[in-house]
Amino acid sequence: MAAGIDEIVEGFEFIDDWEERIRYLIELGRELEPLPDSARTAANKVQGCASQVWLETTVGDGPDPVLTFRGDSDAHLVRGLVAVMIALYSGKRAGQILATDAGQFMDRIQLREHLTPQRSNGLKSMVERIKREAAAAAGVASGAA
């Protein structure tokens, strides 16, 4: 992924027009490395998303391991949302992932207010999946939020 989370925040802060923000989000999705067909499995599919979304997780070693995520979607805008969530969570320790509030982040970049309820639910499902995997990696009981 070319854009880091700070660069994404700057991009959204720079763009005032909602249509331009959508184009930027789609562009972020285009920069996302596609998942190979071998990773498009039922186990990697995120349930609760209207579009097809796959999320592959690699867990490091130790009591607070680093989790790395790769993801993809069959929808351009959703692929952009996947790219944002990967930038927000991938490469972080399980404890950091559990402490990061995606809702606050989405409010900060003023994105959540423009998502349809269906896309918001899909985004929530993706975040819940990421948090469950972080909790499992850290050995923490999770209610995932």
Side-chain angles (χ1 to χ4, degrees), residues 52-105:
Q52 293 192 81
V53 175
W54 298 272
L55 189 65
E56 183 182 60
T57 307
T58 304
V59 179
D61 295 325
D64 190 19
V66 171
L67 281 76
T68 305
F69 300 99
R70 293 190 322 159
D72 208 344
S73 176
D74 63 347
H76 295 295
L77 182 63
V78 176
R79 189 176 161 91
L81 293 172
V82 170
V84 170
M85 290 301 102
I86 287 174
L88 183 61
Y89 289 114
S90 189
K92 302 238 168 79
R93 297 206 168 273
Q96 290 174 294
I97 291 169
L98 293 170
T100 300
D101 184 337
Q104 271 186 339
F105 175 77

Side-chain angles (χ1 to χ4, degrees), residues 34-47:
L35 275 181
D37 288 339
S38 61
R40 294 173 183 254
T41 64
N44 287 340
K45 192 167 182 185
V46 177
Q47 301 303 315

Side-chain angles (χ1 to χ4, degrees), residues 6-46:
D6 292 335
E7 183 181 339
I8 290 171
V9 169
E10 287 176 16
F12 276 103
E13 288 175 347
F14 179 74
I15 302 167
D16 290 329
D17 181 62
W18 174 238
E19 288 182 24
E20 286 295 319
R21 285 176 172 227
I22 290 290
R23 282 193 273 280
Y24 178 58
L25 192 59
I26 291 169
E27 184 58 36
L28 291 171
R30 285 188 183 126
E31 294 174 7
L32 192 63
E33 182 181 328
L35 275 181
D37 288 339
S38 61
R40 294 173 183 254
T41 64
N44 287 340
K45 192 167 182 185
V46 177

